[in-house]
Amino acid sequence: MSLMFPTAPASPSPRLRIATCSLAGCFGCHMSLLDIDETLADLVDLITFDRSPFTDVKALSEDGIDIGLIEGGLCNEENVEVLRAFRARCRVLVAVGACAMYGGVPALRNGIPVAELMQTAYLADGLHDPQLPRDPELPPLLDKVLPVHEVVPVDLTLPGCPPPADAFRALVLAEIARRTPDIATELPLHARRFD
Ligand code: SF4
């Protein structure tokens, strides 16, 4: 699998520029990234975080992103829009966790028609003032929750729910060294568990 995505330029900064984003996910993958603990301090002069819940930066830098970490699948039209914009700016796009790779827990709804889901959630007997949400700012649901690779090309995957912190560490260290990480073999034995 190639690390290079030719339509997105690398950041000109000597620091590795990392952005993270959550679509239909639970932020557990983001928490696992934070679990690399003291390694973050070791990397402070080598990486910089761009758009991410960690920075509260909402827009991607014009400078280009080296690694974009995407958590979660796509459950609505806004997710698709956000993902496409993210992909266009990232040199390496990483699908992080079971939701981004397969749809994960949110995809459990895929066997049920959306109209039936809405009926159950908002119009079921016994609800007070049952009505469908109709605020125009609410993005329409997709028919099915999609994994990231069904909408844009993905360069790397970090499996797990969530992936272990050591997998994030191995990925970042390999990227700093400008080489393709082999997550399966670079992890210590205790971290080779992706459930
Ligand atoms: S893969 Fe697991 S931890 Fe990550 S967003 Fe999905 S449910 Fe949460």
Side-chain angles (χ1 to χ4, degrees), residues 106-114 116-117 143-145:
L108 291 174
R109 74 153 159 101
N110 284 358
I112 307 170
V114 169
E116 194 177 322
L117 290 167
D143 288 344
K144 291 187 185 310
V145 176

PDB file of all heavy atoms in Angstrom, residues 106-114 116-117 143-145:
ATOM      1  N   PRO A 106     -21.789   2.004  14.643  1.00  0.00           N
ATOM      2  CA  PRO A 106     -22.873   2.741  13.967  1.00  0.00           C
ATOM      3  C   PRO A 106     -23.475   1.968  12.796  1.00  0.00           C
ATOM      4  O   PRO A 106     -24.652   2.142  12.466  1.00  0.00           O
ATOM      5  CB  PRO A 106     -22.193   4.031  13.492  1.00  0.00           C
ATOM      6  CG  PRO A 106     -21.055   4.220  14.445  1.00  0.00           C
ATOM      7  CD  PRO A 106     -20.563   2.825  14.752  1.00  0.00           C
ATOM      8  N   ALA A 107     -22.688   1.088  12.173  1.00  0.00           N
ATOM      9  CA  ALA A 107     -23.187   0.348  11.009  1.00  0.00           C
ATOM     10  C   ALA A 107     -24.167  -0.761  11.399  1.00  0.00           C
ATOM     11  O   ALA A 107     -24.742  -1.411  10.519  1.00  0.00           O
ATOM     12  CB  ALA A 107     -22.021  -0.239  10.211  1.00  0.00           C
ATOM     13  N   LEU A 108     -24.372  -0.961  12.687  1.00  0.00           N
ATOM     14  CA  LEU A 108     -25.374  -1.949  13.095  1.00  0.00           C
ATOM     15  C   LEU A 108     -26.761  -1.583  12.577  1.00  0.00           C
ATOM     16  O   LEU A 108     -27.645  -2.420  12.494  1.00  0.00           O
ATOM     17  CB  LEU A 108     -25.411  -2.075  14.627  1.00  0.00           C
ATOM     18  CG  LEU A 108     -24.180  -2.719  15.262  1.00  0.00           C
ATOM     19  CD1 LEU A 108     -24.281  -2.652  16.781  1.00  0.00           C
ATOM     20  CD2 LEU A 108     -24.046  -4.167  14.796  1.00  0.00           C
ATOM     21  N   ARG A 109     -26.953  -0.319  12.219  1.00  0.00           N
ATOM     22  CA  ARG A 109     -28.256   0.087  11.695  1.00  0.00           C
ATOM     23  C   ARG A 109     -28.448  -0.262  10.217  1.00  0.00           C
ATOM     24  O   ARG A 109     -29.526  -0.057   9.669  1.00  0.00           O
ATOM     25  CB  ARG A 109     -28.456   1.588  11.879  1.00  0.00           C
ATOM     26  CG  ARG A 109     -27.651   2.485  10.914  1.00  0.00           C
ATOM     27  CD  ARG A 109     -28.390   3.791  10.719  1.00  0.00           C
ATOM     28  NE  ARG A 109     -27.626   4.907  10.252  1.00  0.00           N
ATOM     29  CZ  ARG A 109     -27.617   5.327   8.984  1.00  0.00           C
ATOM     30  NH1 ARG A 109     -28.248   4.633   8.048  1.00  0.00           N
ATOM     31  NH2 ARG A 109     -26.941   6.407   8.652  1.00  0.00           N
ATOM     32  N   ASN A 110     -27.400  -0.775   9.578  1.00  0.00           N
ATOM     33  CA  ASN A 110     -27.445  -0.918   8.117  1.00  0.00           C
ATOM     34  C   ASN A 110     -28.494  -1.904   7.609  1.00  0.00           C
ATOM     35  O   ASN A 110     -28.884  -1.843   6.461  1.00  0.00           O
ATOM     36  CB  ASN A 110     -26.064  -1.290   7.564  1.00  0.00           C
ATOM     37  CG  ASN A 110     -25.130  -0.086   7.534  1.00  0.00           C
ATOM     38  OD1 ASN A 110     -25.539   1.015   7.898  1.00  0.00           O
ATOM     39  ND2 ASN A 110     -23.893  -0.287   7.118  1.00  0.00           N
ATOM     40  N   GLY A 111     -28.955  -2.788   8.448  1.00  0.00           N
ATOM     41  CA  GLY A 111     -29.971  -3.729   7.994  1.00  0.00           C
ATOM     42  C   GLY A 111     -31.394  -3.191   8.116  1.00  0.00           C
ATOM     43  O   GLY A 111     -32.351  -3.894   7.773  1.00  0.00           O
ATOM     44  N   ILE A 112     -31.515  -1.965   8.593  1.00  0.00           N
ATOM     45  CA  ILE A 112     -32.853  -1.401   8.830  1.00  0.00           C
ATOM     46  C   ILE A 112     -33.038  -0.173   7.937  1.00  0.00           C
ATOM     47  O   ILE A 112     -32.158   0.707   7.914  1.00  0.00           O
ATOM     48  CB  ILE A 112     -33.014  -0.991  10.311  1.00  0.00           C
ATOM     49  CG1 ILE A 112     -32.668  -2.166  11.226  1.00  0.00           C
ATOM     50  CG2 ILE A 112     -34.419  -0.476  10.591  1.00  0.00           C
ATOM     51  CD1 ILE A 112     -32.565  -1.796  12.692  1.00  0.00           C
ATOM     52  N   PRO A 113     -34.139  -0.061   7.203  1.00  0.00           N
ATOM     53  CA  PRO A 113     -34.360   1.136   6.378  1.00  0.00           C
ATOM     54  C   PRO A 113     -34.375   2.403   7.235  1.00  0.00           C
ATOM     55  O   PRO A 113     -34.893   2.391   8.362  1.00  0.00           O
ATOM     56  CB  PRO A 113     -35.738   0.882   5.740  1.00  0.00           C
ATOM     57  CG  PRO A 113     -35.937  -0.598   5.825  1.00  0.00           C
ATOM     58  CD  PRO A 113     -35.210  -1.053   7.058  1.00  0.00           C
ATOM     59  N   VAL A 114     -33.834   3.499   6.674  1.00  0.00           N
ATOM     60  CA  VAL A 114     -33.748   4.756   7.427  1.00  0.00           C
ATOM     61  C   VAL A 114     -35.123   5.224   7.897  1.00  0.00           C
ATOM     62  O   VAL A 114     -35.280   5.700   9.028  1.00  0.00           O
ATOM     63  CB  VAL A 114     -33.058   5.847   6.578  1.00  0.00           C
ATOM     64  CG1 VAL A 114     -33.188   7.215   7.232  1.00  0.00           C
ATOM     65  CG2 VAL A 114     -31.587   5.508   6.390  1.00  0.00           C
ATOM     66  N   GLU A 116     -37.652   3.522   8.734  1.00  0.00           N
ATOM     67  CA  GLU A 116     -38.057   2.733   9.908  1.00  0.00           C
ATOM     68  C   GLU A 116     -37.310   3.188  11.160  1.00  0.00           C
ATOM     69  O   GLU A 116     -37.872   3.264  12.256  1.00  0.00           O
ATOM     70  CB  GLU A 116     -37.786   1.257   9.608  1.00  0.00           C
ATOM     71  CG  GLU A 116     -38.442   0.297  10.562  1.00  0.00           C
ATOM     72  CD  GLU A 116     -38.185  -1.152  10.172  1.00  0.00           C
ATOM     73  OE1 GLU A 116     -38.168  -1.474   8.954  1.00  0.00           O
ATOM     74  OE2 GLU A 116     -37.984  -1.956  11.088  1.00  0.00           O
ATOM     75  N   LEU A 117     -36.020   3.497  10.980  1.00  0.00           N
ATOM     76  CA  LEU A 117     -35.226   3.992  12.112  1.00  0.00           C
ATOM     77  C   LEU A 117     -35.799   5.302  12.640  1.00  0.00           C
ATOM     78  O   LEU A 117     -35.935   5.502  13.852  1.00  0.00           O
ATOM     79  CB  LEU A 117     -33.772   4.236  11.668  1.00  0.00           C
ATOM     80  CG  LEU A 117     -32.926   3.016  11.354  1.00  0.00           C
ATOM     81  CD1 LEU A 117     -31.647   3.444  10.635  1.00  0.00           C
ATOM     82  CD2 LEU A 117     -32.568   2.287  12.645  1.00  0.00           C
ATOM     83  N   ASP A 143     -28.260   6.285   3.535  1.00  0.00           N
ATOM     84  CA  ASP A 143     -29.031   5.047   3.657  1.00  0.00           C
ATOM     85  C   ASP A 143     -28.313   4.032   4.536  1.00  0.00           C
ATOM     86  O   ASP A 143     -28.940   3.269   5.270  1.00  0.00           O
ATOM     87  CB  ASP A 143     -29.263   4.430   2.269  1.00  0.00           C
ATOM     88  CG  ASP A 143     -30.277   5.241   1.475  1.00  0.00           C
ATOM     89  OD1 ASP A 143     -30.994   6.060   2.098  1.00  0.00           O
ATOM     90  OD2 ASP A 143     -30.325   5.092   0.248  1.00  0.00           O
ATOM     91  N   LYS A 144     -26.977   4.011   4.395  1.00  0.00           N
ATOM     92  CA  LYS A 144     -26.178   3.082   5.192  1.00  0.00           C
ATOM     93  C   LYS A 144     -24.958   3.814   5.747  1.00  0.00           C
ATOM     94  O   LYS A 144     -24.485   4.775   5.131  1.00  0.00           O
ATOM     95  CB  LYS A 144     -25.685   1.912   4.333  1.00  0.00           C
ATOM     96  CG  LYS A 144     -26.787   0.951   3.882  1.00  0.00           C
ATOM     97  CD  LYS A 144     -26.190  -0.251   3.192  1.00  0.00           C
ATOM     98  CE  LYS A 144     -27.266  -1.170   2.617  1.00  0.00           C
ATOM     99  NZ  LYS A 144     -28.328  -1.534   3.555  1.00  0.00           N
ATOM    100  N   VAL A 145     -24.440   3.356   6.868  1.00  0.00           N
ATOM    101  CA  VAL A 145     -23.171   3.864   7.386  1.00  0.00           C
ATOM    102  C   VAL A 145     -22.050   3.237   6.559  1.00  0.00           C
ATOM    103  O   VAL A 145     -22.002   2.003   6.395  1.00  0.00           O
ATOM    104  CB  VAL A 145     -23.004   3.512   8.876  1.00  0.00           C
ATOM    105  CG1 VAL A 145     -21.641   3.945   9.384  1.00  0.00           C
ATOM    106  CG2 VAL A 145     -24.110   4.182   9.691  1.00  0.00           C
TER     107      VAL A 145
END
